[in-house]
């Protein structure tokens, strides 16, 4: 990554320098909050990934965990489990330990054993692990930073309560906790106030839009690919500013630029991007025409042996279905999502197929009971043909739960047997609890 010429990398450097200047020199700081804009989250994730490699710049050692936050009572245990699992699966670290390049003697077995017990205070056990691991570092004066970026947070208030519990219990010396807060909500400001002696909040003024644009337009301005990237950026800006006329100008220009290249994948993409931007203005007649043309172009390319258009072809079905859904034509939308699923199956894109089936049956659930049952069964029957590895990362649980609720006792036993082998005997109760928690968090 060349920071001198990469504008996005330069933003990451700004983040690094903020930490180096305002956190690293101060040993007493143990809780660090980045206050960020939600659309900058990926940039900070990139910062964490970079700091987890040999190319990191901050003097601290970050351990990054993405464990979802479900509740304050179970979070520390989840972090402990993910920490131990990630440590075991980190091939680079394990190889360095085996070859003697890294000496890291800590009481891993003790924590694995404690994790199996029920009568354990997992908040205190997590703190104990942090202390034990930090003291095992080659440089025992180096700070260890538990960096948390949970994929989902069921309750910000409960997450805040968990932080308060950990800080009140007392973090060990040379250990910090790094978290992320959103601006302008500032959910975790009470933590900053209550623990001001050890807390530090950081904010960096990052112009991500300008950096992204600069990166996208780098290269030969006469290159059609660069010209099309400019069209996409300007279409996005026009949509954000509610400028319909300007959006049409850049959308037509995008089609014109890509048509000249003779590349059908780019030509079809120009149509789908243009159509997608028009959803903001509900121009469904134009959207449907653009998507139909995109579909025709992609089918022509695929029939001539161009496999690169497979994702574009799938996308056209999804957009066409979404257009019909917005126009209250639910049955047509469901049909198109099913067609998308069948096409995905033919392309061996199993996750996309299951997602399309789920969207289809959700649409007709309250409108057409027979059609709903039919699609649920079709989704479940297809899922049964997949390997256990593919099913582990699929939404099979939610499909199975849906199918279970619609079936007679004989089929329910078959579903129970299948899901018990895949997950465990409590699969149904666990999924029902997850769905309940999700609905509760959405309502909140």
């Amino acid at each position: 990554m060349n920071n001198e010429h990469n504008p996005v990398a330069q933003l990451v450097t700004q983040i690094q320098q903020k930490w180096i200047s305002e956190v690293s020199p101060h040993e007493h700081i143990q809780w660090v909050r980045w206050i960020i804009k939600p659309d900058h989250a990926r940039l900070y994730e990139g910062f964490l990934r970079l700091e987890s490699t040999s190319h990191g710049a901050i003097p601290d050692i970050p351990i990054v965990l993405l464990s979802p936050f479900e509740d304050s009572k179970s979070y520390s245990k989840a972090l402990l489990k993910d920490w131990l699992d990630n440590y075991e699966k980190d091939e680079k670290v394990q190889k360095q330990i085996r070859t003697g390049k890294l000496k890291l003697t800590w009481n891993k077995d003790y924590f694995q054993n404690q994790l199996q017990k029920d009568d354990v205070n997992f908040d205190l056990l997590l703190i104990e692990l942090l202390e034990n691991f930090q003291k095992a570092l080659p440089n025992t004066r180096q700070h260890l930073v538990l960096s948390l970026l949970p994929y989902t947070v069921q309750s910000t208030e409960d997450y805040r309560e968990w932080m308060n519990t950990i800080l009140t219990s007392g973090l060990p010396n040379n250990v910090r906790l790094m978290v992320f807060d959103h601006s302008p909500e500032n959910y975790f400001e009470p933590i900053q106030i209550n623990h001001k002696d050890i807390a530090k909040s950081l904010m960096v003024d990052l112009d991500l839009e300008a950096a992204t644009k600069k990166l996208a337009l780098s290269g030969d301005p006469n290159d059609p690919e660069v010209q099309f990237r400019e069209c996409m950026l300007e279409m996005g800006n026009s949509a954000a500013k509610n400028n319909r006329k300007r959006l049409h100008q850049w959308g037509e220009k995008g089609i014109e630029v890509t048509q000249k290249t003779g590349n059908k994948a780019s030509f079809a993409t120009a149509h789908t991007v243009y159509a997608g931007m028009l959803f903001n203005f509900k121009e469904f007649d134009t959207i449907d025409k653009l998507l139909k043309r995109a579909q025709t172009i992609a089918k022509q390319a695929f029939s001539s042996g161009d496999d690169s258009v497979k994702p574009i072809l799938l996308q056209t079905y999804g957009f066409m279905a979404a257009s019909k859904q917005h126009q209250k034509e639910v049955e047509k939308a469901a049909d198109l999502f099913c067609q998308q699923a069948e096409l995905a199956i033919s392309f061996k894109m199993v996750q996309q197929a299951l997602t399309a089936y789920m969207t289809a049956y959700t649409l007709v659930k309250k409108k057409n009971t027979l059609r709903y049952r039919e699609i649920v069964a079709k989704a479940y029957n297809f899922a049964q043909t997949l390997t256990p590895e593919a099913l582990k990362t699929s939404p099979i649980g939610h499909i199975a739960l849906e199918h279970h609720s619609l079936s007679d006792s004989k089929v329910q036993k078959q579903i129970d047997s299948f899901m018990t082998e895949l997950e465990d005997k409590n699969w149904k109760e666990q999924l029902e609890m997850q769905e309940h928690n999700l609905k509760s968090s959405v309502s909140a």
Side-chain angles (χ1 to χ4, degrees), residues 173-185:
N173 292 332
N174 300 323
V175 171
R176 309 192 210 264
L177 179 62
M178 183 198 300
V179 299
F180 294 83
D181 203 351
H182 285 171
S183 173
E185 291 84 1

Side-chain angles (χ1 to χ4, degrees), residues 128-147:
E128 190 179 352
L129 180 145
L130 293 170
E131 182 175 24
N132 189 262
F133 195 89
Q134 190 281 327
K135 287 182 177 178
L137 295 176
N139 179 359
T140 56
R141 292 187 60 82
Q142 199 166 21
H143 278 78
L144 179 72
V145 184
L146 177 57
S147 311

Side-chain angles (χ1 to χ4, degrees), residues 107-125:
N107 206 347
K108 173 173 61 69
D109 293 339
Y110 164 75
F111 293 105
Q112 286 178 327
N113 291 333
Q114 290 295 104
L115 195 60
Q116 308 308 314
K117 299 178 181 179
D118 295 324
D119 57 340
V120 172
N121 184 322
F122 291 107
D123 294 332
L124 296 180
L125 185 65

Side-chain angles (χ1 to χ4, degrees), residues 223-240:
D223 184 344
E225 185 178 337
V226 174
Q227 292 177 344
F228 181 52
R229 289 204 298 263
E230 181 183 19
C231 292
M232 289 194 290
L233 283 169
E234 295 300 340
M235 277 191 278
N237 291 336
S238 301

Side-chain angles (χ1 to χ4, degrees), residues 58-342:
I58 69 174
D60 304 62
I61 300 293
I63 301 295
V64 183
L65 294 179
L66 309 177
S67 319
F69 180 87
E70 294 185 1
D71 60 68
S72 57
K73 294 179 180 178
S74 63
Y75 192 48
S76 289
K77 185 176 182 179
L79 292 175
L80 284 158
K81 182 179 184 303
D82 287 348
W83 182 303
L84 292 165
D85 287 348
N86 292 345
Y87 178 81
E88 291 289 344
K89 294 174 183 176
D90 193 325
E91 294 180 3
K92 185 178 178 180
V93 168
Q94 295 302 325
K95 184 178 179 181
Q96 288 178 327
I97 292 173
R98 287 195 304 271
T99 57
K101 292 182 179 179
L102 176 64
K103 291 184 178 180
L104 198 62
T105 306
W106 63 293
N107 206 347
K108 173 173 61 69
D109 293 339
Y110 164 75
F111 293 105
Q112 286 178 327
N113 291 333
Q114 290 295 104
L115 195 60
Q116 308 308 314
K117 299 178 181 179
D118 295 324
D119 57 340
V120 172
N121 184 322
F122 291 107
D123 294 332
L124 296 180
L125 185 65
L126 175 63
I127 293 171
E128 190 179 352
L129 180 145
L130 293 170
E131 182 175 24
N132 189 262
F133 195 89
Q134 190 281 327
K135 287 182 177 178
L137 295 176
N139 179 359
T140 56
R141 292 187 60 82
Q142 199 166 21
H143 278 78
L144 179 72
V145 184
L146 177 57
S147 311
L148 302 179
L149 192 64
Y151 278 134
T152 58
V153 175
Q154 296 289 355
S155 167
T156 53
E157 292 83 0
D158 202 24
Y159 186 27
R160 187 173 64 214
E161 184 58 34
W162 175 84
M163 290 182 212
N164 187 62
T165 298
I166 294 296
L167 294 179
T168 301
S169 299
L171 285 174
N173 292 332
N174 300 323
V175 171
R176 309 192 210 264
L177 179 62
M178 183 198 300
V179 299
F180 294 83
D181 203 351
H182 285 171
S183 173
E185 291 84 1
N186 289 331
Y187 295 112
F188 308 135
E189 184 67 18
I191 298 290
Q192 173 69 53
I193 296 169
N194 294 338
H195 300 274
K196 60 183 179 181
D197 291 341
I198 60 168
K200 180 70 176 180
S201 294
L202 303 176
M203 183 182 292
V204 186
D205 187 14
L206 302 172
D207 194 347
L208 182 58
E209 183 179 337
T212 305
K213 183 174 182 178
K214 187 176 179 181
L215 184 64
L217 300 183
S218 61
D220 182 359
N222 296 316
D223 184 344
E225 185 178 337
V226 174
Q227 292 177 344
F228 181 52
R229 289 204 298 263
E230 181 183 19
C231 292
M232 289 194 290
L233 283 169
E234 295 300 340
M235 277 191 278
N237 291 336
S238 301
K241 295 174 182 176
N242 208 31
N243 192 330
R244 187 190 308 230
K245 182 179 178 181
R246 190 168 180 273
L247 170 57
H248 280 299
Q249 290 172 347
W250 283 102
E252 293 297 335
K253 184 176 180 180
I255 289 174
E256 181 184 338
V257 166
T258 52
Q259 186 174 24
K260 289 178 181 177
T261 66
N263 185 317
K264 291 189 180 296
S266 296
F267 192 31
T269 298
H271 286 78
T272 58
V273 171
Y274 185 9
M277 297 290 183
L278 286 174
F279 274 89
N280 289 345
F281 300 99
K282 300 181 180 180
E283 285 195 29
F284 296 114
D285 287 343
T286 306
I287 289 170
D288 292 342
K289 289 175 184 176
L290 286 167
L291 292 173
K292 193 66 181 175
R293 283 164 61 191
Q295 189 180 67
T296 300
I297 296 164
K299 282 182 176 179
Q300 289 173 350
F302 181 64
S303 63
S304 64
D306 184 359
D307 285 349
S308 70
V309 297
K310 286 180 178 179
I312 303 165
L313 194 52
L314 276 177
Q315 188 182 50
T316 61
Y317 279 97
F319 274 9
M320 291 167 85
S323 176
K324 295 303 178 188
Q325 182 182 352
H326 280 289
Q327 296 174 70
K328 310 300 183 186
E329 297 181 47
V330 174
E331 292 290 345
K332 288 183 180 179
D335 288 341
L336 284 162
F337 277 123
C338 286
Q339 290 174 41
Q340 184 188 39
E342 289 158 13

